[in-house]
Structure formats: C-alpha cells, structure tokens
Amino acid sequence: MGRLFGTDGARGIAGGELTADLAMKIGASAAYVLGESKKIKVIVGMDTRYSGDMLACAVNAGLLSMGADVIFVGVVPTPAVSFLVTHLNADMGVMISASHNPAKYNGIKLFNNKGYKLADEIEEKIEHYILDEKLPECTNIGRYERDENLKNKYINFLYTLANDYNGLKVVVDCANGSASATAPTLFEKLNVNAKIIFDNPDGVNINDNCGSTHPEVLSSYVINNKLDIGIAYDGDADRVVFIDELGNIINGDYILAIISNDLKNKNRLNKNTIVGTILSNLGLLEYCKNNDIEFITTNVGDKYVLEYLRDNNLSLGGEEAGHIILKEYCNTGDGPLTSLIMLSILASTNTTFSNLTKIMHKYPEVHINIKVNNKNDFATSNI
C-alpha cells in the first residue's frame, strides 16, 4: 500500500491528487481511528488557499459522519491548531495547508490530543481504512461549530511570552498566508516598530514571491529601510527565516545556534543537547562541538525532531528550513513563537543581528535528490 501521508501530512494538487472525496475519507478514517469508538472533539483550521474551503468542508463532513464534534476556527497558523487542541481539551486537530508550496497545492495535517503530529503507525492505520477496509456505519452524527475568534487565544498566549524589545525596527512577511490573520494583531501589541507586508491574501498569492521560501524582497526591504531584523513566515507560519540588518538570510541552522547558546547561558538547554536532521549544515555540528553541546540527528521532518525531543526530555530542535521547536512552550514548529524568542535575544544583547550570527560558520552545501530502487542500496553516514 502506497503512503498517502508524507513527513508533513497528506499533500497534493487540490482537485487532482487531493480531492474532496479523499479529504472526506481522511476526516472519517481519522475520526474512527483516533476516536476509538468514543465521541471526540476536533479543532479544524486552514491557511489562505482558494481550495481551503472545499477541503475543509470535506474533512469536516467526514469527521461529522463518524460522530466527531467539529470546531472550525478558520484561517490560523498551524501552531495555533496544535495550541488550541491542548487549550480546549480536544481529542484531535486538523490543519488544511500545503505549507510553503504554491497555491495550487494543498494538504491535510493531523494532530493528536497533545497537539503532536500523528506518529507514522497511526497514519498507517488511517490509510488502511481509506485504501483497504470500509469503515463501519455510524449513526451518531457529530455537531459543527464555527468560531474564528479562537485565534485570539493563540495570539494572547504568544503575548504572555513577549518581553520588552526596546523598540526594535522590524518588518514581518506573512507570505499572504496564515500569519496574515494573526501577525498584525500580535505585533501591534509588542514594543517594536513593526511593518507588516504580504498580508493581503487572495487565495492564489500565498507564497508567491514572498515568505520564507522567497525572502529576497524582504532582504531588500530591510536594507532600504535600515531595519534591525526581517521576519519571514511560510504559508502556514510553522516555519520562519530571518533577515539581518545587512540583508543576509538567516536560516534554521543559525536560529538553532543562536537560541541554544542563549538557553545554555541561562541553564535552560536540557542535557546540553539540540536535535536537528540529516540536512543540518556541518557548521551547526561544528558549533555544537566547539560549545560542548550534543547534537542529535533525525530523519527530515519536524515531527521526527519533536518525537525525539519529547521522548528524551529535550528542549530545542529544528530544521534548516526554519521549523524550530521550543519544547518548553509548544508541540510543533512555531514561526511566531520563534520570532518572539529571537527578538528577545536581539534586544537583550545590545548588538546587531549580524553579530549574533557569527556564532556559527555555515559551510557550502548542495542538496541532490537521488532515485534508488531499494533504500538499502544507498548508505548514509554521520560526519
């Protein structure tokens, strides 16, 4: 059986690989597997893609058909869904998003009652009922509620973690995605001089020459306006990259180095360990070695980083692409939260962002996809 779920949910071209029928089956099968024959409550959110309404309606119909009660929260960041699942004592979360991909794609991410992305074995059970075995009939139809104001609980949670940022000059790129619904309110509350850009989604402009995968415009904006820092989210705001005052792009490896150094100095880096992936730059490993920090490598995917953090009581991990998990505060990658932590570090050190990044030297790297007939034919090794 081929897998529907990749490292970050089920994903494909909306209306092509990812149809309304498949979305409904995912919702129904997930409700059955996670519900375990009991009534469950599910939080459902989406990003700003034009296909989001279609897929959300289909997922919701599938959930309701298996007796799940649905609370639809509208456009929110992915970490907001994870947060609301735990805050509202829900049993499951669903996020309709294809993250950093263009608007024609969409996806379905699933969370358990702790706000964690589902383990592979649970996704395989869900796939079994989608592809191989018919679900049993259910006459206990669920109830539907729509409450888009619940995003304010996530915004308020972030604000409780904010510090005095000394009026830093900031620009925030919302990628015309989920952050458009939360970043303007959040940054208006903070002691920063913030400009919000790419926060006018129209259903098709998400990640379109903006956001964390296209930070060139943001880089020019920082330089031209002589700002202290630029912040770029992806379409569902679970990842972030930064721009320093010189216009340099600061990716997830730099972010891990800067935050781990701060946590270590505060004796809050559990076991003096951080978790990355097989794509982490050699420079991050060298930084860890030089600073007596253990570096753990997992497979690509923030869900695998999170699983290791959770199972080993660790506090920090992430990916080069900008998924940063601060386990003390959240159970998934959280771009807005990472932004607040980075702003706090920058404001407290009384230096420039480019000086902060000197903590790590990034080595040149090339990523190449290689097709193999058998994964055992391809060997890997740790450097």
Side-chain angles (χ1 to χ4, degrees), residues 142-215:
R143 302 293 297 271
Y144 175 84
E145 176 185 351
R146 184 181 184 119
D147 189 350
E148 297 188 26
N149 290 323
L150 285 173
K151 67 186 177 186
N152 293 321
K153 292 186 180 295
Y154 172 67
I155 294 171
N156 291 336
F157 159 71
L158 292 174
Y159 184 65
T160 64
L161 303 177
N163 292 314
D164 185 354
Y165 302 126
N166 297 327
L168 286 172
K169 294 179 290 184
V170 180
V171 57
V172 181
D173 178 349
C174 296
N176 290 316
S178 291
S180 303
T182 55
T185 301
L186 174 63
F187 280 86
E188 186 177 359
K189 290 172 171 281
L190 305 178
N191 181 26
V192 294
N193 182 5
K195 173 67 176 178
I196 311 295
I197 62 175
F198 296 114
D199 61 331
N200 293 296
D202 61 9
V204 297
N205 62 0
I206 186 171
N207 299 314
D208 185 11
N209 292 314
C210 57
S212 63
T213 51
H214 301 283

Side-chain angles (χ1 to χ4, degrees), residues 320-359:
E320 180 185 32
H323 288 115
I324 306 297
I325 302 170
L326 293 129
K327 188 63 183 67
E328 181 180 353
Y329 305 111
C330 63
N331 290 333
T332 192
D334 192 324
L337 171 60
T338 305
S339 302
L340 298 188
I341 299 299
M342 188 61 76
L343 288 174
S344 179
I345 295 171
L346 180 57
S348 65
T349 52
N350 195 30
T351 189
T352 63
F353 196 10
S354 60
N355 276 336
L356 284 182
T357 65
K358 292 178 181 178
I359 197 171

Side-chain angles (χ1 to χ4, degrees), residues 67-92:
D69 291 336
V70 172
I71 302 177
F72 180 62
V73 297
V75 174
V76 293
T78 287
V81 170
S82 175
F83 167 80
L84 289 171
V85 165
T86 58
H87 183 80
L88 299 177
N89 296 315
D91 303 282
M92 177 183 162

Side-chain angles (χ1 to χ4, degrees), residues 259-284:
I259 294 179
S260 65
N261 180 68
D262 181 70
L263 290 176
K264 185 181 181 186
N265 290 338
K266 296 174 180 175
N267 294 315
R268 288 172 48 199
L269 184 64
N270 288 9
K271 301 180 184 180
N272 275 343
T273 299
I274 63 176
V275 181
T277 76
I278 56 176
L279 295 183
S280 298
N281 189 266
L282 180 61
L284 180 58

